[in-house]
């Protein structure tokens, strides 16, 4: 059994370890995801209620997700969305539904806070089960080179992407 809850400052060291171990053997990673989380926590983009941990009955932190504020910018305007980055589950706990629990709970909380959409760069076979589609289908582009099928967006509420198009503008903490 796993519990999903908002992270607290006491979780920061355990979350850092979870992130580092999750991405340690990922070839596409630059292995700095833990530093991104630390920078985001110090930025205006940080939304404490959307930084969640998964823990075991024994209070061991085994997963983490963070959704932070971002913009989609076009000639017609700026739209607030959420950036999902990163999603981490300790290797020994993967394929147990923890990542799914984290995403679904983060989406639920984000929608209850009034956010309508989220974007991410992620695995093309994993995220569609949570409503993610190619962002290009909505007219949304990303500010870096990546396979189109990995650049995704999802509505957190019905119509959450209506009229939203342009380029994702990540917070400065992303270093893009």
């Amino acid at each position: 059994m796993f519990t999903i809850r908002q992270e607290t400052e006491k979780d920061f060291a355990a979350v850092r370890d979870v992130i580092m171990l999750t991405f340690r053997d990922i070839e596409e990673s630059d292995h700095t995801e833990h530093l991104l989380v630390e920078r985001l926590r110090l930025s205006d983009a940080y939304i404490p209620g959307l930084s969640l941990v998964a823990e075991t009955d024994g209070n061991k932190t085994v997963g983490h997700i963070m959704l932070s504020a971002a913009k989609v910018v076009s000639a017609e305007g700026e739209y607030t969305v959420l950036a999902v980055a990163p999603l981490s589950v300790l290797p020994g706990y993967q394929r147990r539904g923890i990542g799914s629990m984290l995403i679904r709970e983060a989406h639920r909380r984000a929608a209850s806070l009034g956010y309508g959409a989220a974007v991410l760069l992620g695995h093309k076979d994993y995220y569609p089960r949570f409503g993610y589609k190619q962002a290009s289908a909505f007219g949304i582009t990303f500010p870096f080179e990546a396979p189109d099928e990995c650049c995704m967006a999802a509505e957190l509420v019905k119509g959450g992407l209506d009229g939203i198009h342009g380029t994702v503008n990540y917070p400065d903490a992303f270093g893009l």
Side-chain angles (χ1 to χ4, degrees), residues 8-43:
T8 67
E9 193 171 333
K10 292 178 184 177
D11 298 310
F12 289 179
V15 165
R16 180 186 177 97
D17 291 344
V18 167
I19 296 168
M20 290 175 69
L21 289 168
T22 298
F23 289 94
R24 179 182 57 198
D25 297 328
I26 305 295
E27 189 176 314
E28 298 84 4
S29 171
D30 66 1
H31 310 291
T32 62
E33 291 83 3
H34 61 290
L35 299 175
L36 169 62
V37 167
E38 291 170 6
R39 288 191 307 268
L40 282 166
R41 286 188 191 120
L42 299 173
S43 77

Side-chain angles (χ1 to χ4, degrees), residues 33-115:
E33 291 83 3
H34 61 290
L35 299 175
L36 169 62
V37 167
E38 291 170 6
R39 288 191 307 268
L40 282 166
R41 286 188 191 120
L42 299 173
S43 77
D44 292 341
Y46 179 55
I47 306 165
L50 298 179
S51 189
L52 308 177
V53 295
E55 62 185 9
T56 65
D57 288 341
N59 297 323
K60 177 180 180 178
T61 301
V62 296
H64 174 260
I65 191 170
M66 180 180 277
L67 279 65
S68 55
K71 302 277 186 198
V72 174
V73 179
S74 73
E76 290 82 32
E78 253 184 31
Y79 313 93
T80 300
V81 297
L82 295 170
V84 181
L87 169 63
S88 308
V89 176
L90 283 177
Y93 288 85
Q94 292 175 4
R95 300 201 184 328
R96 295 188 193 185
I98 298 168
S100 296
M101 290 171 54
L102 283 164
I103 292 170
R104 287 189 177 104
E105 182 61 13
H107 282 184
R108 187 192 69 72
R109 290 180 186 214
S112 74
L113 291 173
Y115 294 98

